[in-house]
Amino acid sequence: MRERILAARELGLELSHIPYCGGLAAMQAVAAGEVALAIATEGSARALQQAGKLRVLATTWDRRSPFFPEAPSFGELGLAGLGQREWYGAFMPPRSAGAVVATAAHAIRAVAQEADLREAWEKVGLAVQTGTPAQLRDAMRAEHDFWGPLVKGSGFTPES
C-alpha cells in the first residue's frame, strides 16, 4: 500500500488499489493480464519473472537489486523519492528486561549469519541485514516520520 501511495505521488499517476490475497496473487494477476502492473515484494515476483511470465520494470531499492540486477532502481530512473525497501524486524513486549532483549538480539544476529539461512532467505528475495534494538527503534521512527504525513495527505484510511 505505501509503495502505491508514494508511486502515485512521485509519478503523478492515478493508481487504483485492487486488493489481492497477498503479493503472489497480485503477481499472478499481472502474469495473466488481469491488471497492467502491480507493486509487490521481490519474493512475490521472482519465480514468475524467472519463468518469463512477467517483467520487472524497476525496483524500489536505492540501487540495483541483487535479485533483479537487470532492472533499474527507481533511484537510477531519477525517482529517488521512491527508493524504499520492505523490511522485517523482530519484536518483544515493551516491558521485556534489557538483558532478555540483548540476549535475543544477539541470538537473532548470530542465526542470521548462518549461510544456509541467508541462502534460503535470498531465494525468496530477502536481503539479510541485522542491527541492534536501538537501530530498529530509530528505523521505525524514521519510517513513521516519512510515511505518516504522506499517508495522511493521501486521504487513505483503514477502510479505503
Side-chain angles (χ1 to χ4, degrees), residues 33-60:
E34 294 173 16
V35 294
L37 66 93
I39 298 174
T41 63
E42 289 146 328
S44 298
R46 197 161 187 197
L48 291 168
Q49 183 265 349
Q50 288 174 336
K53 296 186 183 232
L54 63 81
R55 180 175 159 207
V56 176
L57 301 177
T59 65
T60 58

Side-chain angles (χ1 to χ4, degrees), residues 20-99:
Y20 284 93
C21 292
L24 182 56
M27 292 293 92
Q28 290 169 331
V30 172
E34 294 173 16
V35 294
L37 66 93
I39 298 174
T41 63
E42 289 146 328
S44 298
R46 197 161 187 197
L48 291 168
Q49 183 265 349
Q50 288 174 336
K53 296 186 183 232
L54 63 81
R55 180 175 159 207
V56 176
L57 301 177
T59 65
T60 58
W61 286 56
D62 56 353
R63 62 190 183 286
R64 294 235 170 183
S65 164
F67 307 114
F68 301 112
E70 71 287 349
S73 69
F74 283 146
E76 288 178 283
L77 296 173
L79 302 166
L82 290 175
Q84 298 294 313
R85 295 280 307 131
E86 179 176 14
W87 57 271
Y88 299 90
F91 300 89
M92 296 181 76
R95 291 178 180 82
S96 299

